[in-house]
Amino acid sequence: MPAGLLGIEGLERAEIEALLARAKDFQSVQHQPLKRSDALRGKMIVNLFYEASTRTRTSFEIAAKRLGADAVSITASGSSVTKGESLVDTLNTLGAMRPSAIVMRHSASGAPHFLAKHLPTPIINAGDGTHEHPTQALLDARTILDRRGTLEGLRVAIIGDIAHSRVARSDVHLLSKFGVDIVLCGPASLLPPELADLAPGVTLTTSITEAIRNADVIMMLRVQLERQHEAAFPAGEYFRFYGLRLEHMDLAKPEAIVMHPGPINRGRELSSEVADSQSSVILNQVENGVAVRMAVLEKVVG
Ligand code: NCD
């Protein structure tokens, strides 16, 4: 199998540390006037997105360009996928143009793993169904480290639609390798008990106040309506029980930070006062998305 990045679960702690350290080097590059290096000059990165994306797709594209590579983005809705082409045929077609790597997002869990077995091109997973979103976990870890200096011993509450969240799964895999105390919280219908077995150090609760008490990091997740087949509960009711509001912040540690992978839905997962507060690092996460994806592209393609 060509070396791409399919998930966090199979990575060693040292590999994660190396990527996070390299992302730190790239943070400062972003603030320099000459933003392009030619580390990946002559390389071609194809971004193939079968699901909507703003942050992930744009930041992979910017990351590739800052390293001097060429980047082409394709969305399923604007491609021959709408003419009935299968995933394998689309990937073989793109592979025949000899890209250096394919960055791919798909609604089916395991789609990039399947393709990685059949294609010679390295594949970077940009989110597969409800399974993994490895670069999101890396940028989340980078953001926590920037604020707290360490992951070891922190208490991280992940709150929302855990059942359908690839972000939660990748974050749990990453954080558990660093001795983080992880609390997963959401309504019982979105919090399957088997998630407690995902990794060491994970506990579950349906109480948002219990999850937030003494938390160093509060990570809110979007309710993934596109993956839910059962009737959704009304937005107002969800916010009443699971929405993060300013008064919740008194329960957390004084320096606690609020994170969200985006896109945020104000008044559903969190209030505007929290989203725009000093505790919110949501835009720092976006900024780190570029640095982390530069580190990943350099490792995979460089
Ligand atoms: C997440 C995703 O697509 O999994 N978004 C992202 O990449 N920043 C989370 C979400 O869509 O809610």
Side-chain angles (χ1 to χ4, degrees), residues 4-8 49 56 60 102-106 108-113 122-129 131-136 166 170 293 296:
L5 175 65
L6 298 177
I8 295 290
F49 278 66
T56 307
F60 264 113
I102 296 176
V103 176
M104 154 179 186
R105 169 171 287 188
H106 199 278
S109 300
H113 308 68
I123 295 191
I124 299 172
N125 182 5
D128 64 318
H131 179 222
E132 278 233 39
H133 191 349
T135 55
Q136 180 70 41
R166 53 201 177 201
S170 285
R293 288 170 180 127
V296 168

Side-chain angles (χ1 to χ4, degrees), residues 147-202:
R147 286 295 175 116
R148 308 305 297 255
T150 181
L151 297 173
E152 211 82 54
L154 294 185
R155 177 175 163 90
V156 176
I158 307 182
I159 301 167
D161 181 358
I162 312 286
H164 300 100
S165 178
R166 53 201 177 201
V167 175
R169 278 177 188 69
S170 285
D171 274 325
V172 165
H173 285 307
L174 191 155
L175 297 172
S176 73
K177 293 181 203 280
F178 288 84
V180 171
D181 175 15
I182 306 162
V183 190
L184 303 178
C185 171
S189 59
L190 301 178
L191 191 69
E194 59 271 20
L195 285 170
D197 306 326
L198 207 55
V202 179

Side-chain angles (χ1 to χ4, degrees), residues 51-53 55-56 105 126-127 129 133 136 166-167 221-222 224 226-227 260-263 293:
E51 283 193 329
S53 172
R55 282 147 284 269
T56 307
R105 169 171 287 188
H133 191 349
Q136 180 70 41
R166 53 201 177 201
V167 175
L221 298 173
R222 186 174 63 88
Q224 311 235 330
E226 73 276 27
R227 300 190 210 288
H260 193 306
R293 288 170 180 127

Side-chain angles (χ1 to χ4, degrees), residues 39-49 56-74 94 97-104 121-124 126 293-294 296-302:
L40 298 189
R41 204 171 52 194
K43 307 284 186 183
M44 165 68 72
I45 312 298
V46 170
N47 287 319
L48 176 63
F49 278 66
T56 307
R57 187 161 64 89
T58 313
S59 58
F60 264 113
E61 208 170 306
I62 293 173
K65 288 179 175 163
R66 289 212 176 132
L67 291 168
D70 293 310
V72 182
S73 291
I74 303 160
L94 296 172
M97 300 181 210
R98 306 262 164 251
S100 311
I102 296 176
V103 176
M104 154 179 186
T121 315
I123 295 191
I124 299 172
R293 288 170 180 127
M294 287 174 81
V296 168
L297 286 173
E298 183 190 60
K299 175 161 187 269
V300 171
V301 180

